[in-house]
Amino acid sequence: MENKKKSDYRLGILYIIISAFCFALMNLCIRLAGDVPTLQKCFFRNFFALIVAAVSLFRTKTPLKIGEGNTKYLLTRSIAGGIGMVCNFYAVDHMAISDASILNKLSPFFAIIFSYAVLKEKANVYEWLSVAAAFIGALFVVKPSFGFETVPALAGVVGGLGAGLAYTFVRKLGMRGENSMIIVAFFSGFTTLMFLPNLILNYSPMSAKQWGILILTGVAASGGQIFITKAYAKAPAKEISVYDFSIVIFAAIFGFIFLDQLPDWLSVVGYIIIIGTAVIKWLYMNKKNL
């Protein structure tokens, strides 16, 4: 049993790093898609992700069956994730992708709050202090002001909140034995329908290049979803979530190479505070569990 726990822990780490790479690539593609409206990007991201999920279900011959009592958790996960996605896409479109990525990765700290409320996983004083420190770091990235330029950053924070709630319910579903591919497919299908009315009413024509980029967005998103779902099903978020911050490294590299973006010094300070807090919390949890 102990060996299985260690094996699950290592797999959780590997899965979450792969997921971070995929989501950083997704964010790059969102920005490269150009002037396509945010909600339209959300639709095609989920539509193409749904195709990938459906093919995966077919290839693995996974029964299209939801576990008893899990529908309400799947719906909550999907609604929270859908709202978080819109906010994250808006932030990616209007600020440096590394800034948008770090704000979205406030999700593990929101997950501590939601895990207490949803999963009854009690957090100690050190974990609550880490939440406070992470939000202090976020202030350096957001740079609050009364101008419109703050809106994308605030959207990024809300995106992190939505993701934190969504991943809490992913963990809940994993604890209840729900198949990870069913979770991914349900989310992709639900959000595709969620954004369909806007597509029908407000469709904006796209070039062949934009179509190709949005297809890649969906593929990258599918990889990110699949691997983060597998990660949180293998180990508790509070034990492995620190590795999710590797997305900032991937996003910064992509932003520099493809978009000529460099974060300012205030954002870098924010990165250091948020990631440093996550690392300290992770080290504390490991020491505590020895």
Side-chain angles (χ1 to χ4, degrees):
M1 183 63 72
E2 187 64 28
N3 287 337
K4 184 181 185 304
K5 185 177 179 181
K6 288 181 179 179
S7 176
D8 284 350
Y9 179 73
R10 293 192 190 101
L11 278 174
I13 293 172
L14 176 63
Y15 289 157
I16 210 165
I17 291 174
I18 295 173
S19 168
F21 176 85
C22 290
F23 280 129
L25 178 60
M26 180 195 77
N27 284 348
L28 173 65
C29 291
I30 293 166
R31 190 63 175 260
L32 291 177
D35 60 357
V36 178
T38 297
L39 291 180
Q40 189 164 315
K41 290 179 180 179
C42 288
F43 173 83
F44 283 108
R45 173 255 192 249
N46 288 290
F47 177 71
F48 293 124
L50 177 60
I51 293 173
V52 173
V55 170
S56 297
L57 286 171
F58 178 76
R59 289 185 61 185
T60 56
K61 298 181 180 179
T62 303
L64 297 177
K65 182 180 179 182
I66 296 172
E68 186 177 349
N70 286 346
T71 302
K72 59 185 176 183
Y73 300 123
L74 285 166
L75 284 170
T76 306
R77 179 264 183 275
S78 298
I79 293 169
I83 294 171
M85 180 192 306
V86 173
C87 293
N88 179 50
F89 275 36
Y90 182 82
V92 169
D93 267 336
H94 294 86
M95 60 194 305
I97 61 172
S98 55
D99 282 5
S101 296
I102 194 69
L103 292 176
N104 191 251
K105 289 311 164 189
L106 289 173
S107 56
F109 299 101
F110 281 117
I112 291 174
I113 299 170
F114 292 129
S115 291
Y116 176 76
V118 176
L119 306 178
K120 309 305 178 186
E121 293 179 347
K122 293 184 178 179
N124 58 38
V125 64
Y126 297 101
E127 290 174 306
W128 289 120
L129 285 173
S130 75
V131 172
F135 286 113
I136 291 172
L139 290 175
F140 283 87
V141 181
V142 173
K143 306 173 196 55
S145 71
F146 294 103
F148 180 78
E149 64 273 8
T150 305
V151 173
L154 293 177
V157 174
V158 176
L161 185 151
L165 180 58
Y167 294 145
T168 299
F169 278 94
V170 167
R171 176 67 180 156
K172 175 80 171 180
L173 288 159
M175 292 167 64
R176 292 174 61 87
E178 188 60 77
N179 185 287
S180 60
M181 284 308 305
I182 292 294
I183 299 173
V184 171
F186 188 97
F187 172 72
S188 298
F190 181 89
T191 47
T192 296
L193 292 175
M194 179 176 169
F195 298 123
L196 181 59
N198 175 78
L199 181 79
I200 294 171
L201 296 172
N202 302 295
Y203 176 74
S204 177
M206 300 187 295
S207 67
K209 180 182 176 181
Q210 288 173 322
W211 274 104
I213 290 172
L214 286 177
I215 290 172
L216 182 56
T217 300
V219 173
S222 295
Q225 263 187 271
I226 289 168
F227 282 104
I228 203 164
T229 299
K230 285 179 175 291
Y232 285 131
K234 287 290 182 182
K238 63 183 180 182
E239 291 183 12
I240 64 171
S241 59
V242 66
Y243 295 99
D244 204 12
F245 287 90
S246 57
I247 189 176
V248 180
I249 298 172
F250 295 131
I253 293 171
F254 288 154
F256 177 73
I257 294 174
F258 297 101
L259 301 170
D260 198 27
Q261 292 179 346
L262 279 175
D264 61 29
W265 72 271
L266 282 173
S267 290
V268 172
V269 170
Y271 299 174
I272 293 170
I273 293 173
I274 295 170
I275 297 175
T277 299
V279 171
I280 291 170
K281 181 172 75 70
W282 175 73
L283 290 172
Y284 168 77
M285 292 304 301
N286 276 356
K287 184 177 180 180
K288 180 182 175 183
N289 292 332
L290 286 176

